[in-house]
Structure formats: C-alpha cells, structure tokens
C-alpha cells in the first residue's frame, strides 16, 4: 500500500517536471491550440457547411464540434508521447537521470502518460471554450462529463503512443505512425461525417481503436441521441487504459534496462 | 558492514560476458576506483551497484541490502554521476537541482537551501539561472556532481567524472571530491586518468575483459609490481634495438612502449647512473606511478 503511494507520487513528480517545462513556453502552445481549430471551423464551416445543411438534424458545424474535441485530445496526447517522450527518453537521456533517484521506470512511464493525457485534456478544453464563445456549444451540464471523457481518452491515447515510442528506433518512425495510423483515425472515426456512410466492415473495423468511441461519447454529450454506442465506448476506453499503461511500462522497461 | 560487497557478480549481454564472476568489498568512507581499458566492464559494474542494471548472477549488497530487491529505498541514499551527460536540458541550472530534489521527496524549502549550498560548492552560483546549453563541459560536469549530492548520499558513484575536462576543471573537481572524502562519504569512481586514481582513491581495482586483475592501495600495488622508481629512456628513432641490447646488461626488468624504454628496479639511483653512460636523447628518473603499472599490465595482459 505504502509502495503504491510511493509509485503514484513518483509518477506525479515526473508529471510535475513536464508541467514545469511546459509552463515556461505555454503561450506558443495555447496559440496553436486555439488557432488550429478556428481555422478548421472557419474553413469547413464556410466550405462544407455551405453545402451541407444538417447532419442528423444538427447543423454541420455543431455536428463536427464533438469530434473535433476528441481529435484535439488525440493529437495533443500523441505528439507529447511520441516526439516529446522520445526526445526525453533517447535524445536527452532524461529518464536515465531520473532512474538514479528513487523513481522507477514504471513511475516515469505513468508520469509521462498522465502528462500526455493532461496535454490532451488542455487542448480539448480550450477547444470547448472556443466552441462556447462561438455559440456552437451551450450544454453546460455536459461539461464535467466531457472533461472526464477527454482525460480518459487522452490517457488511453497517450498510453498507446507511449507503446509506439518504446519500440521506435528513430524520429522517422513517427512519420509513419502519423500518416499510416493517426490520419486514418482522423478520417474514419466519424469526426467529419457519419460512419454509417462507410461500408459496414470498415466502420466496424475502426471500432477496435479508441477514437470512434471517444467521438461517440462526446457527440452524445453534445447532442444526445442513442445511448448504446457511448456506453460501449466508455467501457472500451476504461478497459483499454490499464492494459495499455501496463504494456507501455513493460515495453519501456525492456528498452531501457537490458534483461540479464 | 561494507558499503558495497559483491561475490561472484556476473553480467552478460546476450552471450557476451561483460562482467565475469567478480568480487570486491568497499568499506564505508573509502574512495574506491575501477580502472581498466575501454570495454573492461567498469560502467557495467557500477551500473549494477546503483541498480540501473540487474545482474546475471552472484551476490551484490549495497549498504547491507540486496540492491535488486530494495531498489527505490537504497537509491534514496546513493548519488550518481553517469558516464554520459544526462542533465535535464529543458531546465535551468537551479531547476535541475530543485527538480531532482523533488524526485527524492525533499521538501521545497530544504531543497532550495541545499541547491544554493551545492551551487556554491561547485562554483556555479553565478550560473544558477542559466540554460544548460550555455554551460561548458566542465560546468555541466560540476552541475552533475552537485545534482548527485542533492539527497545527501552516503554513497557517491562517479563514472569518469573528469573525462574531457581541462586540467583546471579537473583539479577543481578533485578538490571537491577530496572535501567529500573528508566528510566520510563513500565514493566509487571510474577513470582513465591514473593520476586521478592515485590522487583520490584509497584502493583501486584494475579490470580487464570483465575481470578484476589486481586490487589494492595504489602505492602498494605500484611498489609490489614495479618498485618505487622508474627510469625512462627516450630513444632516438631506429636506435631501439641497440638501446635494448645495452640496457639488458644492467637491468632485466624493462618494457618498451613506442620510443620509450621503461626500466624498473629496486635500485634506480645506481641504475640511472649506469644508464647515463649510454648515450640517449633524454633520461628521466622519477617515482613510479599507476600509469607505469597500467602500461606494464598493458604490455602483458590488457588488450587495448
Ligand atoms: N547495453 C549493452 N548491450 C550490449 N553490450 C553492452 C551493453 N553495455 C555494455 N556492453 C558491453 O559490455 C562491455 C563492457 O562495457 P562497459 O561500458 O562496462 O565498459 P567500460 O569499462 O565502462 O568502458 P569505457 O572505459 O569505454 O567506459 C563492452 O564490451 C560493451 O560493449
Ligand atoms: Mg564506462
């Protein structure tokens, strides 16, 4: 029990380290966080929104808003736990330095994942603010649930990308990861159009990834509707998180500490 | 109780045995050095001591406890300066110390006090708020030492603390390490500078190919293996065979490294006088050092 507490404190210490570094240059990060979704909203709203009146009875911009929130969380967590974590682990050998303190590999990995989730949560929360300011969101009762969801989804995605980072040989590898994995997820997760328009095998295949679930939950919290898919989504995300965290810990330990 | 004791300690990487069945015990308050050529297994050995590498076999107790069983608790009392720079480049000098202190759960006011103290100790107070990129190699090394001391360790482990530093920077680090020795902190270090080992270490272990060849106090080892003094003969090019021929008459214990002949004898004064009569560019008569011992071993067993 005492041990467990020490492990969580250790993870929190590493989280704090990342937060300290972030605080010294948060402004550039926040500008990007607000700017990018505004571009999308303006461009897509003017462009596609003009052609499409409504999806499922909801104006197009409102309809894509929850998916954009999930996408923001996903991107932020993925960037942090690929390029960011790889730099710390391999280039700067920060982990090696930390391992000479009472912290263990698992603490560092958990701290890193929680930090990735935090970045995801921040990005999506900022987007929610932007959406509210533009009048595209006003279901205030949903806010706490949305934030919890994004934190959970951020954790899942951070853990998933941490696994990728643990086996990555170089930065090049992440280019493949982003084009071959992240881009399809952005396209086929029901962010920009209903997955019902896709062949059934394709849309069901993508349900093995966390993103469509996160989009379903967020859309439910924005606009209501069918409750079954969101509930399945919550169960999937909640089940994936510990498994992926455990896997990330195993993989990073294997990479950093050569087995005897 | 020994600060560190190892028995039959082994470590392999795949099928390669980096450390083969070694044993040593390091006493509290002692400064113990691992010497040996590149790849001898020095870093591997000390990485096992501070829990960075699990061992393949044997026993390894650090402060009386098995390091692999009680790692976080033991690590709380160890300070480490590793061979490769792993300071946190995203943080300033002071932040490096404060953040590290947090990993040890040192309360912030205490951490700030220690950070200020340690920055003064390694003469980096003026650089406290500087970014790491603006620090020279010697400054970064000093910061690494300060960082390793933030938890008031009773065991300090330094892997090549002065490699690549200029003589002035090296001497500053030596003075600091000597101060720590006087505070009875156990120090384990590796080095390629024999002068450094002689200057700092109470005992040294000379490693090669994953094994400890010799162990003991530097002076004792030197006297035992070489004698008190050495005569060096710097021979002109092409005249080495003749020189060896001449020297052989007066001294049978000698080594050749490049253009230099090293003569070892219990009676070097007499030897030196005799050697003077041979005509050579330069003769040096001096006290034997660890470097002589190292070169002598290199001539025979150390594979470079
Ligand atoms: N992670 C590893 N995987 C495979 N081999 C390794 C690993 N670490 C060390 N070795 C091998 O073990 C041997 C001993 O390495 P070690 O780093 O302990 O040497 P060293 O005495 O510290 O040398 P140097 O003076 O160059 O630092 C070397 O042959 C090295 O190649
Ligand atoms: Mg080494």
């Amino acid at each position: 029990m005492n041990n467990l507490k020490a492990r969580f404190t250790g993870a929190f210490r590493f989280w704090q380290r990342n937060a300290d570094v972030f605080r010294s240059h948060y402004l550039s990060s926040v500008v990007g966080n607000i700017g990018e979704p505004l571009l999308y909203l303006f461009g897509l709203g003017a462009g596609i929104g003009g052609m499409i009146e409504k999806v499922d009875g909801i104006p197009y911009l409102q309809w894509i808003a929850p998916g954009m929130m999930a996408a923001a969380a996903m991107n932020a967590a993925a960037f942090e736990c690929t390029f960011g974590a790889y730099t710390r682990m391999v280039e700067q050998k920060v982990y090696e330095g930390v391992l000479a303190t009472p912290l263990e590999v698992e603490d560092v990995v958990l701290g890193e994942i929680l930090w990735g989730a935090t970045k995801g949560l921040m990005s999506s929360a900022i987007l929610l603010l932007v959406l509210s300011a533009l009048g595209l969101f006003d279901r205030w009762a949903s806010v706490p649930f949305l934030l919890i969801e994004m934190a959970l989804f951020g954790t899942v995605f951070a853990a998933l990308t941490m696994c990728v980072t643990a086996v990555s040989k170089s930065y090049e590898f992440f280019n493949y990861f982003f084009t071959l994995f992240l881009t399809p997820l952005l396209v086929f997760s029901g962010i920009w159009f209903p997955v019902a328009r896709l062949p059934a095998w394709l849309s069901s295949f993508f349900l093995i990834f966390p993103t469509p679930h996160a989009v379903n939950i967020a859309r439910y919290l924005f606009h209501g509707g069918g409750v079954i898919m969101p509930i399945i989504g919550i169960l999937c995300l909640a089940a994936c998180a510990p498994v992926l965290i455990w896997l990330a810990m195993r993989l990073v330990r294997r990479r950093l500490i050569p087995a005897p | 109780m020994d600060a560190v004791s190892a028995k039959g300690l082994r470590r392999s990487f795949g099928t390669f045995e980096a450390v083969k069945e070694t044993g040593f015990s390091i006493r509290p308050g002692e400064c113990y050095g691992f010497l040996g050529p590149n790849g001898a297994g020095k870093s591997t050995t000390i990485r096992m001591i501070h829990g960075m590498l699990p061992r393949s076999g044997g026993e390894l107790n650090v402060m009386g406890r098995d390091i692999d069983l009680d790692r976080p608790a033991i690590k709380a009392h160890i300070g480490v300066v590793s061979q490769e720079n792993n300071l946190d480049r995203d943080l300033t000098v002071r932040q490096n110390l404060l953040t590290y202190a947090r990993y040890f759960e040192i309360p912030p006011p205490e951490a700030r006090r220690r950070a200020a103290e340690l920055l003064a100790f390694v003469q980096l107070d003026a650089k406290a708020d500087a970014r790491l990129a603006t620090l020279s190699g010697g400054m970064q090394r000093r910061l690494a030492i300060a960082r390793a001391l933030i938890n008031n360790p009773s065991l300090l482990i330094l892997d090549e603390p002065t490699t690549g530093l200029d003589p002035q920077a090296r001497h500053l680090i030596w003075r600091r390490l000597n101060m720590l020795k006087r505070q009875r902190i156990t120090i384990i270090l590796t080095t390629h500078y024999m002068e450094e080992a002689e200057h700092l270490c109470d005992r040294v272990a000379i490693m090669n190919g994953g094994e400890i060849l010799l162990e003991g106090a530097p002076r004792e080892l030197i006297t035992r293996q070489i004698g008190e003094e050495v005569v060096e003969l710097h021979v002109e090019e092409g005249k080495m065979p003749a020189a060896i021929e001449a020297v052989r008459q007066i001294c049978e214990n000698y080594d050749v490294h490049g253009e230099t002949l090293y003569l070892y004898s219990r009676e070097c004064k007499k030897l030196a006088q005799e050697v003077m009569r041979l005509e050579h560019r330069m003769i040096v008569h001096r006290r034997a050092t660890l470097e002589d011992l190292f070169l002598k071993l290199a001539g025979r067993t150390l594979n470079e």
Side-chain angles (χ1 to χ4, degrees):
Chain A
M1 203 54 216
N2 232 341
N3 218 350
L4 200 66
K5 191 179 156 218
R7 305 272 61 89
F8 272 104
T9 341
F12 175 61
R13 294 306 178 208
F14 196 74
W15 182 94
Q16 269 185 312
R17 179 252 168 234
N18 284 344
D20 285 351
V21 175
F22 174 72
R23 268 197 317 199
S24 57
H25 57 78
Y26 70 96
L27 211 61
S28 60
S29 187
V30 170
V31 168
N33 271 332
I34 297 178
E36 194 187 316
L38 276 178
L39 267 171
Y40 270 106
L41 285 171
F42 179 77
L44 292 176
I48 301 178
M51 303 191 303
I52 310 165
E53 281 292 288
K54 284 180 174 176
V55 183
D56 296 338
I58 300 159
Y60 185 65
L61 276 187
Q62 263 106 315
W63 190 85
I64 60 171
M68 287 182 68
M69 245 187 108
M74 175 167 89
N75 272 328
F79 261 97
E80 195 59 38
C81 287
T82 50
F83 293 103
Y86 189 83
T87 303
R88 291 185 277 275
M89 176 166 72
V90 181
E91 294 294 309
Q92 306 188 337
K93 300 198 186 306
V94 172
Y95 292 10
E96 193 188 274
V98 176
L99 293 181
T101 73
L103 269 66
E104 290 284 303
V105 173
E106 290 71 18
D107 308 329
V108 177
V109 172
L110 183 59
E112 197 78 280
I113 290 173
L114 293 180
W115 174 247
T118 306
K119 288 289 290 274
L121 180 61
M122 284 193 289
S123 285
S124 52
I126 289 172
L127 178 57
L128 193 60
L129 277 176
V130 174
L131 292 170
S132 315
L134 296 175
L136 294 168
F137 175 81
D138 59 0
R139 265 185 111 163
W140 308 122
S142 286
V143 172
F145 299 104
L146 273 169
L147 295 182
I148 293 170
E149 186 219 335
M150 291 304 154
L152 175 62
F153 175 53
T155 306
V156 169
F157 219 83
L160 182 100
T161 34
M162 204 61 205
C163 295
V164 174
T165 301
V167 296
S168 174
K169 295 265 181 288
S170 69
Y171 286 109
E172 307 299 305
F173 194 75
F174 299 129
N175 292 339
Y176 292 111
F177 174 74
F178 277 92
T179 45
L180 297 180
F181 186 71
L182 223 70
T183 310
L185 282 184
L186 282 171
V187 175
F188 295 117
S189 294
I191 299 172
W192 312 110
F193 58 87
V195 286
R197 305 199 68 92
L198 294 170
W201 63 268
L202 189 59
S203 59
S204 348
F205 169 73
F206 271 88
L207 285 177
I208 65 171
F209 301 114
T211 318
H213 298 293
V215 176
N216 284 338
I217 303 167
R219 188 157 287 136
Y220 176 79
L221 291 170
F222 266 66
H223 306 302
V227 79
I228 302 209
M229 282 317 279
I231 286 181
I232 293 176
I234 291 169
L235 294 177
C236 286
L237 293 185
C240 281
V243 176
L244 288 170
I245 291 173
W246 173 84
L247 186 64
M249 288 172 172
R250 285 290 302 262
L251 291 174
V252 175
R253 178 170 279 282
R254 200 185 65 181
R255 176 178 190 138
L256 291 184
I257 317 274
Chain B
M1 186 186 66
D2 287 325
V4 180
S5 72
K7 236 188 263 162
L9 183 62
R10 298 188 285 113
R11 172 70 213 208
S12 330
F13 297 101
T15 54
F16 175 74
E17 282 192 292
V19 173
K20 299 170 190 155
E21 301 252 340
T22 46
F24 49 86
S25 48
I26 299 169
R27 296 185 281 264
E30 174 175 46
C31 179
Y32 191 94
F34 285 100
L35 313 180
N38 293 129
K42 308 179 295 293
S43 296
T44 305
T45 304
I46 64 171
R47 282 159 72 87
M48 286 192 279
I49 297 175
H50 67 80
M52 188 70 188
L53 266 183
R55 60 184 181 264
S56 303
E59 279 172 43
L60 179 58
N61 286 314
V62 182
M63 292 173 227
R65 285 177 288 178
D66 185 328
I67 178 72
D68 284 349
L69 295 182
D70 215 356
R71 216 170 29 229
I74 301 176
K75 284 195 294 183
H77 302 285
I78 302 183
V80 181
V81 175
S82 56
Q83 184 170 353
E84 282 181 66
N85 179 357
N86 59 27
L87 291 166
D88 201 324
R89 278 182 263 162
D90 290 336
L91 304 172
T92 65
V93 169
R94 192 202 316 271
Q95 280 178 326
N96 257 277
L97 298 184
L98 296 178
T99 307
Y100 222 61
R102 227 164 32 196
Y103 300 140
F104 285 97
E105 296 300 323
I106 299 165
E110 172 70 9
R112 278 193 296 274
R113 200 184 54 72
R114 283 194 208 172
E117 223 174 79
L118 286 168
L119 286 177
F121 181 68
V122 297
Q123 299 183 5
L124 282 176
D125 4 21
K127 288 277 181 182
D129 296 308
R131 301 241 129 229
L132 270 248
T134 66
L135 261 57
S136 72
M139 289 174 178
Q140 300 214 11
R141 221 53 191 147
R142 267 142 59 196
L143 177 58
I145 292 174
R147 191 180 73 165
L149 291 169
I150 196 85
N151 58 325
N152 275 338
S154 46
L155 171 61
L156 180 64
I157 296 178
L158 309 122
D159 201 348
E160 300 191 16
T162 63
T163 296
L165 303 191
D166 67 36
Q168 208 181 340
R170 181 172 309 146
H171 278 271
L172 173 60
I173 289 183
W174 288 358
R175 279 200 297 280
R176 289 302 170 259
L177 293 180
N178 268 320
M179 284 171 77
L180 295 170
K181 269 180 74 174
R182 264 176 259 132
Q183 295 170 27
R184 306 284 300 148
I185 295 177
T186 312
I187 300 176
I188 301 177
L189 60 85
T190 76
T191 181
H192 288 294
Y193 302 109
M194 295 304 127
E195 193 195 348
E196 178 165 296
E198 245 180 289
H199 188 82
L200 292 172
C201 297
D202 300 309
R203 284 192 305 153
V204 295
I206 300 182
M207 293 189 79
N208 184 48
E211 290 170 308
I212 295 182
L213 302 180
L214 287 175
E215 190 203 43
R219 217 3 78 188
E220 219 171 87
L221 282 181
I222 296 165
T223 322
R224 182 146 37 103
Q225 302 283 329
I226 297 214
E228 296 285 349
E229 290 159 298
V230 176
V231 175
E232 263 179 42
L233 238 72
H234 297 254
V235 181
E236 284 161 49
E237 237 177 292
K239 295 201 173 161
M240 189 52 93
I244 291 176
E245 193 55 44
V247 156
R248 229 191 232 143
Q249 316 287 325
I250 43 180
C251 169
E252 53 208 31
N253 198 358
Y254 66 89
D255 270 319
V256 185
H257 292 283
E259 317 270 82
T260 311
L261 248 166
Y262 294 85
L263 313 180
Y264 314 115
S265 166
R266 308 269 150 201
E267 292 179 71
C268 275
K269 225 177 229 137
K270 203 166 125 232
L271 182 64
Q273 279 161 5
E274 287 180 45
V275 169
M276 293 286 201
R277 284 203 295 272
L278 312 168
E279 44 185 281
H280 289 292
R281 216 194 291 166
M282 216 169 98
I283 295 167
V284 181
H285 174 201
R286 57 170 174 78
R287 214 164 116 91
T289 64
L290 260 186
E291 190 131 351
D292 295 311
L293 171 57
F294 210 73
L295 284 174
K296 194 166 177 216
L297 286 173
R300 299 207 207 108
T301 37
L302 299 185
N303 45 26
E304 195 60 77

